[in-house]
Amino acid sequence: MEKLALLGGKPARDKFLVFGAPDIREAEIKEVVATLKSGWLSTGPRVARFEEDFKSYIGCKHAIALNSCTAGLHLALEIAGIETGDEVITTPLTFTSTANVIIHKGATPIFADVERETGNIDPKEIKRKITKKTKAIIPVHLYGRPCRMDEIMKIAKENSLFVIEDAAHAVEVYYRNKKIGNIGDLTAFSFYATKNVVTGEGGMITTNNDEWARRLRVLRLHGLSKDAWKRYSAEGFTPYDILYPGYKYNMMDIQAALGIYQLKRVEKNLKIREKYFRMYNQAFTEIPEIETPSEEEHIRHARHLYTILLRLERLNCGRNQFAVALQAENIGIGIHFLALHLSSYYKKRFGFKRGDFPNAEYISDRTISLPLSTKLTEEDINDVIEAVRKVIRYYKR
Ligand SMILES: *Cc1c(COP(=O)(O)O)cnc(C)c1O
């Protein structure tokens, strides 16, 4: 048997393959340079244009650019009027910011377990967790697969709850015939460096409610009165007022310069992501030690992350050991996600323990994300497949 790189063997690949490498092309580099030369660096005309482009891509009424998705989730909770003592239901299988923002508002994150097959929040579990204090639900479209929004919206309506979607993985997603960004009350997207549309740091919040959109624009920039960024523009002096002690959550034109051209390629990139996703699926379905992602009808998956589950009962190693071995083969990997309720802070503060959310734990213990960036070539994908096969051959029982 081939010796693992971890044990001194030759790595499956010579050069380290970075996980989640951003795919930056000449068009956005030119636009960033033009922005720098324009002298307008912070929120300005390019942010306005990116918002217009994003709005028409999503097909929603309002898109407000921010400096992160986390900022979007935080502002959404503010719009929903979440206060100390309220409860907000979300998934334990997400990035920590989804739940952190609930704590920032003084509210309590209430986790509802996920579906074992999809990793998405289970509507039945949401129902079980509703109390008199529940004010909102934050579903997360995990890996780019939409949650069961029909059921979630029905539960929300019956119980007068806000629905705030964490669409950090879901720019391209449709649920049935509806584009994500138009279903819940407010939807937050991420343009972080590893996401499908990249501005380095950045985010967008969408809504079809005029009043909320107006407030979001004020909240994102210190609570200054409408279009305060224009106070330095050629349109002339406009005195501003402070309507609210708002936040510093605005996007820069330098970021929007990237976003405008990233968004132009999003549909083309999805085809590439779909191809790489299929290549992985085809290679791994025949390996009994690996469980591949299930396919679903009536949705469009953003193919943001390709995740496998290791069948640990068939392997002589744990997931972390497997991850270390793959990294030694020069394949960068990610873990999405370690179940939040088992992290130090959440355990200590809310008294969570192993066994509380069995499906989230099942996935958390077994998941590995493989590189899926559109910057990669088919050869890169084949290197990943070969490396996974090699590590499986070594550890299988
Ligand atoms: C990346 C991510 C976020 C945070 O996005 P930022 O733009 O970095 O704030 C939130 N939720 C999920 C599920 C994510 O993956």
Side-chain angles (χ1 to χ4, degrees):
M1 199 188 313
E2 267 177 292
K3 203 169 178 184
L4 289 185
L6 187 63
L7 305 170
K10 184 178 159 359
R13 189 188 146 89
D14 295 334
K15 200 165 161 266
F16 188 73
L17 190 68
V18 176
F19 179 85
D23 186 7
I24 303 294
R25 299 290 164 99
E26 214 39 54
E28 48 266 45
I29 292 172
K30 278 205 183 109
E31 191 69 22
V32 167
V33 172
T35 309
L36 294 173
K37 288 181 174 167
S38 81
W40 198 289
L41 306 187
S42 189
T43 312
R46 283 179 174 84
V47 165
R49 182 170 151 206
F50 184 37
E51 286 176 339
E52 280 303 308
D53 291 354
F54 197 80
K55 200 173 82 177
S56 66
Y57 177 69
I58 300 292
C60 59
K61 249 176 122 179
H62 303 283
I64 295 102
L66 304 169
N67 57 9
S68 73
C69 174
T70 305
L73 294 169
H74 188 210
L75 293 185
L77 290 173
E78 175 111 11
I79 294 288
I82 303 302
E83 292 173 355
T84 307
D86 292 341
E87 292 179 354
V88 177
I89 297 175
T90 192
T91 164
L93 198 66
T94 182
F95 186 59
T96 188
S97 68
T98 316
N100 286 353
V101 292
I102 300 170
I103 296 168
H104 295 164
K105 278 270 148 238
T108 308
I110 302 293
F111 293 132
D113 204 2
V114 300
E115 301 167 335
R116 165 69 183 75
E117 295 71 30
T118 67
N120 275 334
I121 195 166
D122 185 339
K124 287 194 302 294
E125 293 299 312
I126 295 177
K127 241 178 178 162
R128 278 195 337 115
K129 293 299 175 95
I130 292 173
T131 71
K132 281 200 186 71
K133 293 181 185 167
T134 311
K135 292 282 161 58
I137 310 168
I138 310 183
V140 179
H141 307 300
L142 197 69
Y143 311 146
R145 181 200 300 268
C147 296
R148 301 196 190 289
M149 291 311 295
D150 281 354
E151 288 166 63
I152 291 171
M153 294 311 291
K154 185 161 173 275
I155 294 168
K157 200 164 174 204
E158 286 167 358
N159 296 277
S160 307
L161 306 176
F162 266 82
V163 175
I164 296 163
E165 290 168 70
D166 180 336
H169 301 178
V171 170
E172 308 89 333
V173 175
Y174 283 85
Y175 175 75
R176 299 191 178 273
N177 292 323
K178 282 200 188 119
K179 186 94 182 60
I180 293 297
N182 291 288
I183 303 176
D185 294 295
L186 298 137
T187 307
F189 297 87
S190 175
F191 310 129
Y192 176 66
T194 58
K195 301 283 157 61
N196 285 13
V197 170
V198 166
T199 64
E201 299 285 355
M204 191 78 78
I205 186 162
T206 64
T207 181
N208 289 325
N209 182 302
D210 300 339
E211 170 58 19
W212 296 344
R214 199 190 55 70
R215 277 180 59 205
L216 286 164
R217 288 184 185 283
V218 170
L219 286 170
R220 78 163 163 189
L221 193 64
H222 306 296
L224 300 181
S225 50
K226 191 168 162 281
D227 278 345
W229 63 269
K230 286 186 179 163
R231 70 194 184 279
Y232 297 119
S233 79
E235 289 181 29
F237 173 75
T238 34
Y240 66 85
D241 191 14
I242 294 113
L243 308 176
Y244 185 88
Y247 304 90
K248 180 65 184 180
Y249 281 170
N250 55 309
M251 178 184 272
M252 297 166 76
D253 264 23
I254 303 172
Q255 295 166 305
L258 289 165
I260 289 164
Y261 287 91
Q262 285 274 306
L263 188 63
K264 281 190 199 302
R265 284 204 311 279
V266 73
E267 287 293 309
K268 210 171 104 207
N269 282 344
L270 181 59
K271 297 252 164 29
I272 299 171
R273 289 177 176 280
E274 282 169 345
K275 182 169 74 184
Y276 292 170
F277 205 98
R278 264 199 314 276
M279 285 172 70
Y280 281 145
N281 261 346
Q282 275 164 9
F284 298 142
T285 40
E286 55 197 41
I287 301 179
E289 290 77 19
I290 289 176
E291 184 178 329
T292 55
S294 63
E295 287 300 319
E296 242 180 281
E297 309 226 308
H298 312 300
I299 64 157
R300 190 216 238 180
H301 194 301
R303 310 296 178 191
H304 173 54
L305 291 170
Y306 185 83
T307 59
I308 55 172
L309 294 180
L310 297 175
R311 294 205 165 101
L312 295 179
E313 64 287 355
R314 289 170 173 268
L315 292 165
N316 283 314
C317 69
R319 190 273 317 282
N320 292 351
Q321 178 69 16
F322 197 94
V324 169
L326 259 184
Q327 292 257 145
E329 299 296 335
N330 277 335
I331 305 298
I333 58 98
I335 305 292
H336 300 90
F337 290 95
L338 294 172
L340 267 185
H341 69 284
L342 299 178
S343 62
S344 300
Y345 176 81
Y346 282 86
K347 246 181 11 201
K348 207 162 117 200
R349 164 98 188 256
F350 301 104
F352 294 124
K353 57 189 185 312
R354 199 163 254 283
D356 285 350
F357 306 100
N359 289 344
E361 288 165 22
Y362 185 93
I363 296 168
S364 173
D365 290 344
R366 291 164 177 77
T367 188
I368 290 193
S369 308
L370 302 175
L372 193 65
S373 163
T374 53
K375 205 178 173 185
L376 306 185
T377 61
E378 287 189 30
E379 289 84 79
D380 293 327
I381 301 297
N382 283 324
D383 284 349
V384 178
I385 291 169
E386 281 317 307
V388 170
R389 282 187 178 137
K390 179 179 168 186
V391 175
I392 289 278
R393 278 196 298 276
Y394 183 82
Y395 284 116
K396 76 177 189 188
R397 287 199 182 164

